[in-house]
Amino acid sequence: TVDLLTLGETMAALRGTGPLRLGGDLRLSIAGAESNVAIGLARLGHAARWVGRVGDDELGALVLRTLRAESVDVSAAVVAPGELTGMLLFDRAPGGTPRAHYRRAGCAAARLAPADVSAAVALGARVLHVTGITPALGEDPAAAVRYAVEAGRAAGATVCLDVNHRPKLWPRERASAVLRPLAAGAHLVVASEDELPLVCDGPDEAARARALLDLGVREVVVKRGTRGASAYTGTGRHDEPARAVTVVDTVGAGDAFTAGYLSAFLDGLPVPERLRRGVILGAAAVAAHGDWEGLPTRAELDHIGGSPDATLR
Ligand code: KDG
């Protein structure tokens, strides 16, 4: 039994510094919301396993090699002969806002099916983490997520859903219809402020969170970016402010937050401590280039958000 099992699409990621149309240098790494969470947990010393489907190409090898180097177990991952590994390119729109361009339609992960994840689910996990990205990839990936959630739940795993709506993959109405039942079957639901209305109804945030709690969700966690995060539980609401760091690249901050939250959950810490570790990891992610590269080890946790003048010696 691992601490965390997650499934989803991990792609080769190319990052440029300006608009892609101007050309220039790109830096090659990997990205994927779920594997970002797995890396975050592995860096903190938890046993994390990722399962997904990559092509038998160089980019698939890059995905698996990178995850292995980060101590994420990929032994259950599927390498599909003749299929391609997805790609995404990040550039900056004028003004500096990061922009994602997908090259993932028809790639290996769009064929991820229940049979690809069943062995990993059977191995067991304390936490099963899924996101709203995977069901957006197609019918088979959606079925894989439903299967993992049902089987994981039945085996006693704590199920965490990060809503992670990606408007370039599907419209809000379709996402909402598919993600509502998933949220209702999760123990922890993580969403940004604008994503919460996708999975529950109510006149305001507290009422929406209450609606999920009434369905049996134990914690509803709301990410607020530079304004920190909140958690709603049966005993009330907890808030945690964000840590001040110099922002370099905001992509991956939400996944980092979720990794921090789940790490403290796995350590048996109470909800305020889960939020605290979440915002610390979120700050670490935005202070570095890349989705996951800036995530800390356990020994580095305490330094994040400290004085900008300090030198660690
Ligand atoms: O959270 C960051 C990820 O979303 C991104 O790097 C890639 O998984 C990704 C996606 O589908 O957008």
Side-chain angles (χ1 to χ4, degrees):
T1 298
V2 286
D3 294 325
L4 175 104
L5 169 65
T6 189
L7 58 133
E9 179 167 27
T10 299
M11 297 159 280
L14 285 161
R15 273 186 161 76
T17 49
L20 282 178
R21 69 182 72 162
L22 296 184
D25 293 338
L26 295 171
R27 201 178 59 85
L28 178 61
S29 181
I30 67 163
E34 301 82 7
S35 58
N36 292 342
V37 172
I39 291 172
L41 283 157
R43 285 214 178 160
L44 292 173
H46 302 279
R49 175 174 289 135
W50 174 85
V51 63
R53 194 176 169 97
V54 295
D56 63 341
D57 50 11
E58 281 294 301
L59 299 181
L62 171 73
V63 165
L64 297 184
R65 182 179 196 270
T66 307
L67 292 177
R68 247 183 243 119
E70 291 295 331
S71 303
V72 174
D73 182 304
V74 291
S75 55
V78 177
V79 179
E83 296 178 20
L84 294 174
T85 302
M87 278 176 60
L88 100 160
L89 298 102
F90 288 109
D91 72 348
R92 300 275 173 164
T97 308
R99 227 170 16 185
H101 310 267
Y102 295 137
R103 291 291 179 277
R104 65 201 297 186
C107 290
R111 298 196 175 98
L112 183 78
D116 293 326
V117 302
S118 57
V121 174
L123 288 171
R126 290 174 62 199
V127 172
L128 172 76
H129 175 64
V130 297
T131 81
I133 298 172
T134 315
L137 303 177
E139 283 307 318
D140 286 343
V145 171
R146 276 195 298 272
Y147 168 83
V149 166
E150 274 160 36
R153 230 188 125 94
T158 296
V159 175
C160 176
L161 168 75
D162 187 335
V163 174
N164 259 347
H165 180 232
R166 294 290 179 267
K168 280 184 179 162
L169 296 179
W170 54 355
R172 279 185 86 86
E173 308 70 54
R174 215 146 57 75
S176 178
V178 173
L179 297 181
R180 275 175 189 249
L182 277 178
H187 300 104
L188 314 180
V189 172
V190 181
S192 58
E193 287 169 299
D194 58 321
E195 287 170 344
L196 195 60
L198 278 176
V199 291
C200 48
D201 300 315
D204 55 31
E205 185 181 281
R208 286 182 205 114
R210 169 55 50 201
L212 283 175
L213 295 173
D214 287 346
L215 290 173
V217 175
R218 288 189 217 137
E219 291 158 44
V220 178
V221 185
V222 181
K223 300 177 282 187
R224 307 188 196 283
T226 55
R227 285 176 294 106
S230 307
Y232 296 87
T233 69
T235 59
R237 171 179 166 160
H238 305 266
D239 297 301
E240 185 70 25
R243 296 297 182 270
V245 288
T246 303
V247 176
V248 171
D249 179 356
T250 53
V251 180
D255 307 328
F257 170 85
T258 302
Y261 193 94
L262 291 177
S263 163
F265 170 85
L266 286 162
D267 283 352
L269 297 174
V271 168
E273 291 298 314
R274 299 176 197 172
L275 286 172
R276 206 175 91 82
R277 197 171 290 174
V279 299
I280 287 174
L281 256 67
V286 303
H289 288 287
D291 274 39
W292 50 269
E293 283 83 338
L295 295 175
T297 63
R298 218 167 252 265
E300 291 161 339
L301 267 180
D302 292 340
H303 311 310
I304 296 158
S307 162
D309 299 326
T311 300
L312 302 174
R313 298 185 201 276

